[in-house]
């Protein structure tokens, strides 16, 4: 569904695949079950609504530290549109590391998702660090 709280992990309602239950849909956080290299991708549809300037960010966090973000800026008000946004990141994670996406905006924005499922957060292990796992 649509989501608007800022500076909090984005929760999800549906998992197509969640092997090992590493993704907690309610909290919106992925917890690495094993050490290794992981790939993450996010695609979302930002709803922009403003009478003047609009700024919208999706940000990827690792253990509370900002890893990267995507940004839409619209200056010709009034604004009323949806804007697709996406990013990818490859991370070297240790067991228990947490990864999530959150948003920040000004003044009036929301993450739009409908029955067509336009919002996706994908993560998978590329390579396991075998020595650390032993």
């Amino acid at each position: 569904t649509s989501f608007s709280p800022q500076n909090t992990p984005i929760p999800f309602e549906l998992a197509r695949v969640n092997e090992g239950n590493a993704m907690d849909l309610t909290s919106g956080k992925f917890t690495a079950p094993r050490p290794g290299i992981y790939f993450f991708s996010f695609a979302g549809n930002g709803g922009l609504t403003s009478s003047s300037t609009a700024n919208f960010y999706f940000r990827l966090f690792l253990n509370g530290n900002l890893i990267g973000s995507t940004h839409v800026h619209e200056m010709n008000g009034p604004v009323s549109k949806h804007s697709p946004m996406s990013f990818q990141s490859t991370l070297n994670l240790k067991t228990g590391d947490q990864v999530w996406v959150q948003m920040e905006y000004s003044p009036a924005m929301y993450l739009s998702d409908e029955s067509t499922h336009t919002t996706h957060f994908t993560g998978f292990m590329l390579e396991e660090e075998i020595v650390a796992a032993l």
Side-chain angles (χ1 to χ4, degrees):
T1 60
S2 294
F3 180 79
S4 61
Q6 294 192 70
N7 302 313
T8 184
I10 298 170
F12 294 88
E13 296 177 347
L14 174 68
R16 297 279 183 210
V17 177
N18 192 5
E19 291 297 320
N21 295 313
M23 182 65 190
D24 183 328
L25 298 177
T26 303
S27 74
K29 293 183 178 182
F30 172 89
T31 303
R34 296 185 303 276
I37 299 172
Y38 291 78
F39 175 81
F40 294 94
S41 173
F42 176 81
N45 197 10
L48 308 168
T49 56
S50 173
S51 60
S52 58
T53 301
N55 286 290
F56 198 3
Y57 299 86
F58 284 115
R59 295 190 165 138
L60 181 69
F61 285 84
L62 168 59
N63 297 328
N65 298 307
L66 178 65
I67 297 300
S69 65
T70 185
H71 174 226
V72 168
H73 174 79
E74 185 72 42
M75 208 163 142
N76 299 323
V79 176
S80 181
K81 71 177 189 176
H82 285 159
S83 182
M85 301 169 75
S86 66
F87 58 77
Q88 300 79 37
S89 188
T90 303
L91 302 171
N92 192 350
L93 302 182
K94 297 184 286 284
T95 301
D97 280 350
Q98 291 190 316
V99 177
W100 66 88
V101 177
Q102 61 190 47
M103 63 184 183
E104 183 179 328
Y105 55 82
S106 67
M109 316 290 169
Y110 58 95
L111 172 61
S112 175
D113 195 31
E114 301 164 3
S115 62
T116 55
H117 303 296
T118 57
T119 299
H120 303 270
F121 182 47
T122 303
F124 52 88
M125 178 182 273
L126 294 171
E127 180 180 313
E128 184 175 3
E129 189 179 326
I130 300 296
V131 174
L134 297 178

